[in-house]
Amino acid sequence: KDFNELKQTFLSFLRKTTKNVVFDNKILNFEDNIFANKHSFSFGVNNNSTYYATNITEKNGKYSFDVFLKQKFLTQISLNVFGRFNVLNALAAFALCHTLLMPAKTIKEKLETFKSTKRRFEILQNNNGLIITDYAHHPTEIKETIIATKNITKNNLICVFQPHTYSRTKNLFNEFLSAFNLCNKVIIFKTYSAREKPFMGKSGYALFRELKKRKSDVFYSASEKTLTKKLNKVKKVDDTILFLGAGNIDDYARTYAQSKQKID
């Protein structure tokens, strides 16, 4: 029902571990010593963590950072994926592997050659403006992905978002309203219902109507045909289009990117 209950669920799960626990020092606090009989390792961006990242720098949307273990420098890592949020993702992977006695040099090599996965900041076109597809479907993911995209966008950023389920849209409605603040233009696509019926929450159209009160360049599309027309109308040279959602918006994004490549 709330974040505290979610956190307690994770703690209940972690109490069942028999060996190592690697945790985000900013989110969880284990001062109650419930892990006194286990090896607990924290990670974060402050030196209170067991493993921490410092000297974080950005170049063309990709990040580099130094890894320390209890004040001791281990290595410097330059990521091949976009977004500051991936600093913590990489640090979490590094900490886990290092606690399993994998050499720092080996972990560094693997992280620096990692090119992400399908539907995670996947660039479909890099000609006459970027076209990117990403699985982000809740407000925190959306915000972080938009921030990462703004770092490499030459002109305007057009966000096309397909809400995933009516219940999620309802439960996180206010958070969704603030998630698109950095977008120059927003197009809300019809809800991907999955297993749900409209009466179970709020629709994408309801989200559009409320967003429209806050931003002028907000549009709604109920079909792929109208979405194509709207994109062709609002997109200018070197604008970036970011498709967001866990539903079938990804299929449309790929079809749209292919059609633009043929034209270009």
Side-chain angles (χ1 to χ4, degrees), residues 82-96:
F82 294 97
R84 184 184 174 91
F85 59 89
N86 275 313
V87 172
L88 273 184
N89 287 342
L91 184 62
F94 185 99
L96 174 63

Side-chain angles (χ1 to χ4, degrees), residues 154-170:
K154 293 181 180 179
N155 204 352
N156 289 324
L157 172 58
I158 304 168
C159 293
V160 181
F161 174 57
Q162 180 187 44
H164 190 268
T165 72
Y166 299 101
S167 60
R168 180 181 285 110
T169 305
K170 177 182 178 181

Side-chain angles (χ1 to χ4, degrees), residues 3-13 15:
F3 181 72
N4 185 61
E5 185 175 29
L6 178 65
K7 193 163 77 170
Q8 292 304 316
T9 303
F10 272 97
L11 287 172
S12 297
F13 171 73
R15 287 189 181 95

Side-chain angles (χ1 to χ4, degrees), residues 176-229:
F176 278 122
L177 291 177
S178 63
F180 302 95
N181 290 340
L182 294 179
C183 298
N184 301 103
K185 301 172 184 178
V186 180
I187 302 176
I188 303 298
F189 193 51
K190 62 179 180 180
T191 303
Y192 186 82
S193 59
R195 63 205 172 274
E196 295 185 345
K197 301 295 182 182
F199 67 83
M200 299 177 72
K202 289 195 173 184
S203 66
Y205 186 73
L207 180 62
F208 153 73
R209 290 186 63 183
E210 196 61 35
L211 275 173
K212 189 68 176 176
K213 298 177 183 178
R214 305 185 178 204
K215 295 175 67 74
S216 58
D217 287 334
V218 179
F219 312 95
Y220 179 78
S221 179
S223 69
E224 294 183 359
K225 184 177 180 180
T226 58
L227 179 55
T228 299
K229 288 182 178 180

Side-chain angles (χ1 to χ4, degrees), residues 4-17 21 23 27-30 32 34-35 38:
N4 185 61
E5 185 175 29
L6 178 65
K7 193 163 77 170
Q8 292 304 316
T9 303
F10 272 97
L11 287 172
S12 297
F13 171 73
L14 292 175
R15 287 189 181 95
K16 300 176 183 178
T17 58
V21 174
F23 63 96
I27 298 177
L28 298 180
N29 190 320
F30 293 158
D32 58 0
I34 61 173
F35 297 98
K38 302 172 184 179

Side-chain angles (χ1 to χ4, degrees), residues 58-155:
E58 179 266 335
K59 184 177 181 181
N60 298 324
K62 297 180 180 180
Y63 286 79
S64 299
F65 59 97
D66 294 337
V67 180
F68 280 77
L69 169 60
K70 295 180 178 178
Q71 314 299 323
K72 178 184 177 182
F73 173 77
L74 294 181
T75 190
Q76 191 268 346
I77 294 174
S78 296
L79 296 176
N80 196 33
V81 289
F82 294 97
R84 184 184 174 91
F85 59 89
N86 275 313
V87 172
L88 273 184
N89 287 342
L91 184 62
F94 185 99
L96 174 63
C97 292
H98 201 256
T99 62
L100 297 175
L101 305 181
M102 185 180 292
K105 180 180 179 181
T106 302
I107 307 172
K108 169 185 169 70
E109 291 174 352
K110 298 300 182 182
L111 287 174
E112 291 188 335
T113 55
F114 179 67
K115 296 182 179 180
S116 193
T117 60
K118 187 176 181 180
R119 296 191 72 174
R120 280 304 186 189
F121 211 89
E122 185 179 357
I123 297 177
L124 303 178
Q125 179 179 305
N126 190 7
N127 184 30
N128 189 22
L130 292 166
I131 297 179
I132 302 169
T133 181
D134 194 280
Y135 190 78
H137 58 288
H138 65 71
T140 303
E141 281 183 317
I142 291 170
K143 287 181 180 179
E144 292 293 342
T145 304
I146 289 173
I147 290 171
T149 309
K150 289 289 284 187
N151 285 334
I152 60 172
T153 298
K154 293 181 180 179
N155 204 352

